Every structure is written in structure tokens, then in C-alpha cells.
Amino acid sequence: MGLPDKKKDVKFTDDDDAVDCSSMMKEDTSKTEVQWTKDANIFEYGSAANPDMKPIPVLVHPPELHQSGKTRVIPFDISDDLDIEDTACTSPNLMASFLRINIGDGIGTEVPNATSQAFYVIRGSGTTRINQTKETISWSTGDMFCLPVTKGETLHMCTGSESHGGAALYWVHDEPLMNYLGATPAVKKFEPTLYKKQALLERVEEIRHETGECHTKNRLGVLLGNAKCAQTKTLTHVLWSLLNSIPSNTVQRPHRHNSVALDLCVSAEPGVYTLMGKEIDSDGFIVDPIRCDWVTGGVFITPPGWWHSHHNESDSVAWVLPVQDAGLFTHQRTLDIRFVDDELELFRAGRIRGSAFAITNKDYTHMVEIGAKVPLPGKGSKKKSIGLKRVLSAECFRSKKRLSCTQIGSVE
């Protein structure tokens, strides 16, 4: 199964492709119409725009689950809490689990309906083999690898462990998303990808000696990207991950994003925690926060849209590895990650932005080139340009060769 080429196969039907439908004019459609209207619901907009749904909770998958016992998959399934019936999941789009593999044992994983799988080695060393392609890699503590859509079983074997008599892996995949869509992946979007611990830490150390916002915001980490996701700079086209460190005795001020974070605590001493809440006050502090303490090897859920801050009151650096469905959100331009001090600065200047997605002057210029218009001030006016014209309607014309859009009814 190879990667797709760049060809865009888009076809518009025009007169040359018209089909003779005269026989349809005589058909009795009443029975079909009755059948098709059975599931049609019509809601009042104001009361239904934000439907009453089960919220994504703050829950913990503790490390004790993978520290003893037989070789097994330990799922973090909260589908009942989310009222999701057709698939096991940790968030609506993702499923997270631990793998415990005793020394000398092996275990198979198989999720043929997932487009992306990520494995992070919490503890131990071993090998992983994709039966479909007969490819095998070796891994050890701190390594991470990602697999695209894979048919058949993937085998994982533990050859050693520094503690607890076996290896532990953190496994996240997007099968819940595909099950929700009723879709089956047919195309491999990226190749199997390996991130070695040494390479990750070397890059963190390079950043430590560079200048930039990472020092002013106490954020020192690396985003894990894939060459096939050059635009989004994400782990896969669906998954996103960050190896983030928090220096000792520091605080990372609140931020928020629309994706759900499934956070693995890689390493932390007592006194490291995250505060989460739905609102912030005028000073940028979280209102009525929930506190979630970090425990090495444990996972906790950060709900979408919630403000959260990370606190390290210990004397050691703490590390966290969130895995999110933010690859998909980034592609859709809906991730909307915001940092509290940026938002407060805008608010105090009398501005509230609708999205944190950056649109540069170059982007505005491109909008004008493809048809949007910026109104110019009248003669003698001291007012500056007030932005893009409001477009009331558009007419689209299509042909075999091109699709064009002409704007009409612009407000002067």
C-alpha cells in the first residue's frame, strides 16, 4: 500500500456528460419519500446549536496498571462516560492504552481501521515487527514510533526492563474517529516513523541554548513532526505530540486548545501538577480549577477548550508527552491554541479575536487577488481601510476545465 500521489481527481458534470433521465419522470416516488423522511429532524436553532452532550471528563489512567501482572493491553476506555456506543475510546476521536509486556513475552496489536498509531516506550526495551511488511525495529525507554494504516497483526516483544519485570508502552490510535465516520482507511498517508530518545533530547538541548519565546514562557519542548505532514508539522495527519519539559520551581501560564489532550507524565517528582478550568479571571488565573497531580508513567485527560497551567514546585525538571487529535484540527485551521497573556493583552486593548489562527498581510493580499476586495477611503477621508468587503452572495460557474467564482452584491 503506497502513499498517494499529488493528483487531484475532481470532476464536474456538464452538458457533455448529461444522462438521459426521461424514464425517471414516470416513477412513483411517494413510498421512497415516506421512507426517507422517517429520520428527518428539524430543530429550533437557538436551543439546538449547542446540543446537550456528555462532557469529556478529567480522568487518570494510573501507572500502577502497567507495573505488575501478566502481559496484556490495558485500555483507557471511557466510552460509557461519553455516551458513545459503537466504539471503545478515551476521547471521541482517539483510544489510549498501556501495553504491559513481561520480559521474554510478546503481544500482538491489531487495529485495521486506524489511520495512525503512536507508541511511546515508558519503560523497557524490545522489538516491534509489522507482519504485513516484515519490518522490525528495536526500541528502548524514551523512544517513540508511529504506524500508518496496517493490515494484520503487529508484534511487540520485551527483551529487558529496568524495573517492574517488564516493559510498558503508551499506545494511542484514531480508530474511534474512523468508526464514527463509518469509514475504512484505504490509503497509507505516511510511512512508519521512529523517534529515538537521544535525538529528541539533543534537539531539546539545542533549543535550550537558542533565544526565543520558549524561555520567556518557561516552555522548552519539541513538537514531533512527520515529513509527510510538512504543512501541519504534526506527528501524523490526525495525531499531534509534544515532548515538553517544565523547569524546576516554575509555572507555565494557562493556555487552551480545541483538541483533547491525552497527557502522559514521562517524569515528575512530587509537587508537579496541572490546574484546569473552563474560565480565567482578569489576571489570567484559572477560576475554580481542578488539580491533577503528575505521576511518572500515568496518563490524564485534559478536556478540549479548557484553560490549563502546569506547575513544577519540585527541584527537578518534569517531562510530559501529550498525544492529541490536533493533527486533524491543525489541518482544519480549528486548533485555536491560545496563551492567556496574549488574550489578556488583546482584551485590555479592547479587542476579542474570533480565532487564534494567524492570517498575515500576505494572506490578506492573496485574498484580494482571488476576488475579495478591500474598500478604499473616499477622497479627503482620513479613515484607513476598514478591511475586506462584506460579500452578500456569490455566483459560481463551472465547466470541464475550471471552476470560477464571481462575487456580487458587495457593500461599499
Side-chain angles (χ1 to χ4, degrees):
M1 184 184 297
L3 294 172
D5 58 28
K6 294 293 185 179
K7 183 179 179 182
K8 298 178 180 179
D9 185 14
V10 180
K11 181 180 180 181
F12 296 99
T13 301
D14 59 20
D15 292 340
D16 293 340
D17 299 315
V19 178
D20 182 7
C21 299
S22 57
S23 62
M24 295 174 58
M25 302 294 292
K26 302 175 182 179
E27 291 184 14
D28 181 2
T29 64
S30 57
K31 289 184 179 180
T32 302
E33 289 175 17
V34 169
Q35 182 65 30
W36 283 24
T37 56
K38 283 183 178 179
D39 291 337
N41 293 324
I42 302 174
F43 299 104
E44 187 278 319
Y45 171 74
S47 60
N50 285 307
D52 184 16
M53 302 174 70
K54 292 288 185 69
I56 295 173
V58 179
L59 292 176
V60 174
H61 206 38
E64 290 81 7
L65 294 173
H66 60 66
Q67 291 175 350
S68 63
K70 63 181 181 180
T71 296
R72 66 199 188 280
V73 176
I74 308 164
F76 192 3
D77 180 14
I78 66 166
S79 56
D80 288 343
D81 298 281
L82 300 179
D83 199 20
I84 293 176
E85 298 180 352
D86 60 348
T87 187
C89 63
T90 315
S91 73
N93 290 342
L94 303 180
M95 180 66 200
S97 302
F98 293 139
L99 301 183
R100 174 176 171 85
I101 316 172
N102 291 331
I103 296 174
D105 281 358
I107 191 171
T109 56
E110 185 173 1
V111 279
N113 220 35
T115 76
S116 305
Q117 301 180 62
F119 296 85
Y120 179 83
V121 184
I122 300 172
R123 178 185 68 250
S125 57
T127 59
T128 288
R129 175 184 175 86
I130 303 176
N131 279 350
Q132 180 185 11
T133 60
K134 310 302 181 186
E135 296 172 286
T136 303
I137 61 165
S138 297
W139 42 258
S140 59
T141 301
D143 292 345
M144 187 173 191
F145 57 94
C146 295
L147 304 181
V149 54
T150 303
K151 304 303 180 184
E153 199 170 41
T154 299
L155 299 177
H156 313 272
M157 181 177 179
C158 173
T159 57
S161 181
E162 53 268 50
S163 62
H164 301 294
L169 278 68
Y170 180 43
W171 176 34
V172 181
H173 61 77
D174 64 356
E175 188 175 58
L177 170 62
M178 300 304 292
N179 288 344
Y180 173 72
L181 296 174
T184 299
V187 176
K188 183 170 64 173
K189 298 288 289 184
F190 61 96
E191 298 291 349
T193 309
L194 174 64
Y195 305 84
K196 300 296 286 185
K197 176 183 178 180
Q198 182 178 352
L200 296 175
L201 295 182
E202 285 176 354
R203 183 65 184 117
V204 171
E205 192 60 27
E206 289 175 5
I207 296 172
R208 190 189 306 275
H209 294 90
E210 295 174 358
T211 58
E213 288 190 341
C214 63
H215 300 289
T216 59
K217 294 184 177 180
N218 293 327
R219 301 186 69 85
L220 186 60
V222 288
L223 277 173
L224 307 185
N226 189 294
K228 299 302 186 294
C229 303
Q231 186 179 40
T232 59
K233 297 180 172 62
T234 52
L235 193 66
T236 77
H237 57 295
V238 173
L239 299 181
W240 177 104
S241 191
L242 161 76
L243 181 61
N244 184 31
S245 67
I246 307 177
S248 61
N249 298 297
T250 59
V251 174
Q252 290 183 352
R253 291 270 284 164
H255 69 287
R256 48 86 63 209
H257 39 74
N258 287 339
S259 51
V260 181
L262 308 179
D263 298 287
L264 170 70
C265 174
V266 175
S267 175
E269 298 294 330
V272 183
Y273 57 91
T274 292
L275 297 181
M276 311 179 200
K278 296 184 290 183
E279 299 177 357
I280 53 172
D281 64 20
S282 58
D283 295 315
F285 293 104
I286 298 172
V287 177
D288 298 326
I290 294 173
R291 173 169 168 158
C292 187
D293 287 283
W294 293 20
V295 181
T296 300
V299 172
F300 59 92
I301 300 174
T302 301
W306 280 32
W307 291 97
H308 49 288
S309 56
H310 303 311
H311 304 253
N312 186 353
E313 297 175 357
S314 76
D315 295 325
S316 301
V317 176
W319 294 86
V320 66
L321 183 101
V323 180
Q324 306 177 18
D325 48 3
L328 182 62
F329 279 84
T330 304
H331 169 68
Q332 294 174 315
R333 282 71 168 171
T334 56
L335 180 60
D336 203 22
I337 185 168
R338 302 180 184 221
F339 298 91
V340 67
D341 293 312
D342 296 338
E343 299 307 306
L344 288 177
E345 182 179 356
L346 285 170
F347 180 74
R348 289 164 182 162
R351 296 164 57 195
I352 299 176
R353 57 180 170 176
S355 171
F357 179 74
I359 301 179
T360 65
N361 288 334
K362 181 179 178 181
D363 296 324
Y364 268 86
T365 302
H366 179 62
M367 289 181 184
V368 173
E369 290 174 351
I370 64 175
K373 295 182 179 180
V374 178
L376 299 175
K379 291 184 179 180
S381 173
K382 296 182 180 180
K383 293 183 178 180
K384 296 181 179 179
S385 171
I386 59 173
L388 298 177
K389 282 189 176 182
R390 179 185 175 197
V391 178
L392 300 181
S393 61
E395 290 181 349
C396 291
F397 303 91
R398 65 188 184 185
S399 67
K400 265 186 174 180
K401 296 182 178 179
R402 67 189 181 94
L403 176 70
S404 63
C405 182
T406 301
Q407 296 178 336
I408 62 174
S410 297
V411 176
E412 298 294 339

Tab-separated table of all heavy atoms in Angstrom, residues 169-192:
chain	number	residue	atom	x	y	z
A	169	LEU	N	4.419	0.329	27.356
A	169	LEU	CA	4.283	1.231	26.220
A	169	LEU	C	2.960	1.977	26.325
A	169	LEU	O	1.955	1.423	26.795
A	169	LEU	CB	4.329	0.475	24.885
A	169	LEU	CG	5.705	0.114	24.304
A	169	LEU	CD1	6.417	-0.925	25.163
A	169	LEU	CD2	5.568	-0.400	22.869
A	170	TYR	N	2.986	3.237	25.893
A	170	TYR	CA	1.782	4.057	25.804
A	170	TYR	C	1.337	4.050	24.344
A	170	TYR	O	2.084	4.440	23.454
A	170	TYR	CB	2.093	5.476	26.274
A	170	TYR	CG	0.941	6.454	26.232
A	170	TYR	CD1	-0.334	6.096	26.654
A	170	TYR	CD2	1.137	7.769	25.798
A	170	TYR	CE1	-1.377	6.999	26.641
A	170	TYR	CE2	0.101	8.687	25.783
A	170	TYR	CZ	-1.154	8.304	26.201
A	170	TYR	OH	-2.183	9.205	26.179
A	171	TRP	N	0.110	3.571	24.086
A	171	TRP	CA	-0.370	3.330	22.728
A	171	TRP	C	-1.638	4.147	22.483
A	171	TRP	O	-2.614	4.031	23.210
A	171	TRP	CB	-0.659	1.833	22.570
A	171	TRP	CG	-1.240	1.386	21.283
A	171	TRP	CD1	-1.007	1.895	20.032
A	171	TRP	CD2	-2.174	0.306	21.104
A	171	TRP	NE1	-1.721	1.193	19.099
A	171	TRP	CE2	-2.449	0.211	19.715
A	171	TRP	CE3	-2.784	-0.606	21.981
A	171	TRP	CZ2	-3.322	-0.747	19.190
A	171	TRP	CZ3	-3.650	-1.560	21.458
A	171	TRP	CH2	-3.907	-1.622	20.083
A	172	VAL	N	-1.597	4.981	21.424
A	172	VAL	CA	-2.749	5.812	21.066
A	172	VAL	C	-3.026	5.652	19.577
A	172	VAL	O	-2.101	5.684	18.758
A	172	VAL	CB	-2.490	7.303	21.380
A	172	VAL	CG1	-3.717	8.145	21.030
A	172	VAL	CG2	-2.120	7.494	22.850
A	173	HIS	N	-4.301	5.486	19.215
A	173	HIS	CA	-4.669	5.385	17.797
A	173	HIS	C	-6.007	6.068	17.545
A	173	HIS	O	-6.740	6.425	18.484
A	173	HIS	CB	-4.703	3.923	17.342
A	173	HIS	CG	-5.694	3.065	18.062
A	173	HIS	ND1	-7.048	3.101	17.803
A	173	HIS	CD2	-5.535	2.148	19.060
A	173	HIS	CE1	-7.678	2.253	18.592
A	173	HIS	NE2	-6.789	1.647	19.371
A	174	ASP	N	-6.337	6.246	16.265
A	174	ASP	CA	-7.521	7.026	15.887
A	174	ASP	C	-8.667	6.169	15.341
A	174	ASP	O	-9.521	6.686	14.608
A	174	ASP	CB	-7.139	8.103	14.863
A	174	ASP	CG	-6.630	7.522	13.543
A	174	ASP	OD1	-6.492	6.285	13.440
A	174	ASP	OD2	-6.345	8.317	12.617
A	175	GLU	N	-8.727	4.904	15.711
A	175	GLU	CA	-9.826	4.068	15.237
A	175	GLU	C	-11.198	4.606	15.645
A	175	GLU	O	-12.165	4.501	14.868
A	175	GLU	CB	-9.656	2.631	15.717
A	175	GLU	CG	-10.664	1.680	15.079
A	175	GLU	CD	-10.431	0.234	15.467
A	175	GLU	OE1	-10.448	-0.065	16.669
A	175	GLU	OE2	-10.237	-0.594	14.552
A	176	PRO	N	-11.372	5.212	16.837
A	176	PRO	CA	-12.697	5.763	17.174
A	176	PRO	C	-13.187	6.801	16.161
A	176	PRO	O	-14.377	6.862	15.857
A	176	PRO	CB	-12.476	6.388	18.552
A	176	PRO	CG	-11.384	5.564	19.148
A	176	PRO	CD	-10.464	5.254	18.011
A	177	LEU	N	-12.267	7.616	15.640
A	177	LEU	CA	-12.646	8.600	14.636
A	177	LEU	C	-13.175	7.914	13.381
A	177	LEU	O	-14.226	8.289	12.844
A	177	LEU	CB	-11.448	9.479	14.287
A	177	LEU	CG	-11.608	10.417	13.082
A	177	LEU	CD1	-12.721	11.426	13.327
A	177	LEU	CD2	-10.288	11.118	12.769
A	178	MET	N	-12.471	6.898	12.918
A	178	MET	CA	-12.887	6.202	11.714
A	178	MET	C	-14.204	5.451	11.922
A	178	MET	O	-15.069	5.413	11.042
A	178	MET	CB	-11.791	5.241	11.258
A	178	MET	CG	-10.466	5.907	10.945
A	178	MET	SD	-10.620	7.221	9.707
A	178	MET	CE	-11.028	6.245	8.258
A	179	ASN	N	-14.374	4.879	13.106
A	179	ASN	CA	-15.628	4.193	13.399
A	179	ASN	C	-16.809	5.160	13.423
A	179	ASN	O	-17.912	4.843	12.980
A	179	ASN	CB	-15.528	3.455	14.732
A	179	ASN	CG	-14.637	2.231	14.655
A	179	ASN	OD1	-14.321	1.748	13.567
A	179	ASN	ND2	-14.220	1.723	15.803
A	180	TYR	N	-16.579	6.356	13.960
A	180	TYR	CA	-17.636	7.367	13.979
A	180	TYR	C	-18.040	7.769	12.564
A	180	TYR	O	-19.224	7.956	12.259
A	180	TYR	CB	-17.170	8.598	14.755
A	180	TYR	CG	-18.128	9.764	14.688
A	180	TYR	CD1	-19.348	9.722	15.370
A	180	TYR	CD2	-17.829	10.893	13.929
A	180	TYR	CE1	-20.240	10.787	15.293
A	180	TYR	CE2	-18.719	11.956	13.840
A	180	TYR	CZ	-19.923	11.893	14.533
A	180	TYR	OH	-20.810	12.944	14.454
A	181	LEU	N	-17.055	7.896	11.694
A	181	LEU	CA	-17.331	8.285	10.312
A	181	LEU	C	-17.895	7.139	9.480
A	181	LEU	O	-18.398	7.364	8.374
A	181	LEU	CB	-16.047	8.807	9.653
A	181	LEU	CG	-15.438	10.075	10.248
A	181	LEU	CD1	-14.096	10.378	9.591
A	181	LEU	CD2	-16.389	11.255	10.081
A	182	GLY	N	-17.797	5.910	10.002
A	182	GLY	CA	-18.214	4.759	9.216
A	182	GLY	C	-17.303	4.531	8.029
A	182	GLY	O	-17.737	4.059	6.976
A	183	ALA	N	-16.025	4.871	8.221
A	183	ALA	CA	-15.062	4.810	7.122
A	183	ALA	C	-13.987	3.765	7.398
A	183	ALA	O	-13.683	3.445	8.552
A	183	ALA	CB	-14.409	6.176	6.921
A	184	THR	N	-13.419	3.257	6.326
A	184	THR	CA	-12.299	2.326	6.411
A	184	THR	C	-11.130	2.899	5.632
A	184	THR	O	-11.278	3.208	4.442
A	184	THR	CB	-12.677	0.956	5.816
A	184	THR	OG1	-13.775	0.414	6.553
A	184	THR	CG2	-11.496	-0.003	5.884
A	185	PRO	N	-9.984	3.097	6.254
A	185	PRO	CA	-8.847	3.698	5.538
A	185	PRO	C	-8.329	2.782	4.442
A	185	PRO	O	-8.115	1.591	4.664
A	185	PRO	CB	-7.806	3.902	6.640
A	185	PRO	CG	-8.170	2.923	7.707
A	185	PRO	CD	-9.655	2.781	7.653
A	186	ALA	N	-8.155	3.351	3.265
A	186	ALA	CA	-7.679	2.578	2.122
A	186	ALA	C	-6.313	3.042	1.641
A	186	ALA	O	-5.700	2.388	0.804
A	186	ALA	CB	-8.681	2.684	0.975
A	187	VAL	N	-5.843	4.167	2.185
A	187	VAL	CA	-4.594	4.766	1.726
A	187	VAL	C	-3.663	4.997	2.904
A	187	VAL	O	-4.081	5.490	3.957
A	187	VAL	CB	-4.863	6.108	1.008
A	187	VAL	CG1	-3.554	6.779	0.607
A	187	VAL	CG2	-5.745	5.889	-0.210
A	188	LYS	N	-2.411	4.626	2.746
A	188	LYS	CA	-1.393	4.880	3.761
A	188	LYS	C	-0.895	6.312	3.585
A	188	LYS	O	-0.308	6.652	2.563
A	188	LYS	CB	-0.255	3.878	3.620
A	188	LYS	CG	0.828	4.000	4.668
A	188	LYS	CD	1.800	2.838	4.618
A	188	LYS	CE	2.571	2.764	3.322
A	188	LYS	NZ	3.620	1.736	3.350
A	189	LYS	N	-1.108	7.157	4.602
A	189	LYS	CA	-0.796	8.577	4.482
A	189	LYS	C	0.648	8.911	4.838
A	189	LYS	O	1.106	10.021	4.558
A	189	LYS	CB	-1.740	9.387	5.369
A	189	LYS	CG	-3.210	9.258	5.001
A	189	LYS	CD	-3.533	9.990	3.720
A	189	LYS	CE	-3.474	11.493	3.915
A	189	LYS	NZ	-3.886	12.207	2.685
A	190	PHE	N	1.357	8.016	5.505
A	190	PHE	CA	2.752	8.259	5.858
A	190	PHE	C	3.423	6.907	6.042
A	190	PHE	O	2.757	5.867	6.097
A	190	PHE	CB	2.860	9.107	7.130
A	190	PHE	CG	2.238	8.468	8.351
A	190	PHE	CD1	3.002	7.751	9.251
A	190	PHE	CD2	0.877	8.582	8.595
A	190	PHE	CE1	2.430	7.143	10.376
A	190	PHE	CE2	0.294	7.988	9.709
A	190	PHE	CZ	1.073	7.259	10.596
A	191	GLU	N	4.731	6.917	6.139
A	191	GLU	CA	5.479	5.685	6.353
A	191	GLU	C	5.725	5.470	7.850
A	191	GLU	O	5.684	6.430	8.633
A	191	GLU	CB	6.827	5.750	5.621
A	191	GLU	CG	6.719	5.897	4.112
A	191	GLU	CD	6.177	4.654	3.429
A	191	GLU	OE1	6.085	3.597	4.100
A	191	GLU	OE2	5.835	4.731	2.237
A	192	PRO	N	5.965	4.243	8.299
A	192	PRO	CA	6.342	4.036	9.697
A	192	PRO	C	7.508	4.955	10.073
A	192	PRO	O	8.460	5.116	9.293
A	192	PRO	CB	6.748	2.564	9.740
A	192	PRO	CG	5.962	1.935	8.636
A	192	PRO	CD	5.907	2.966	7.546
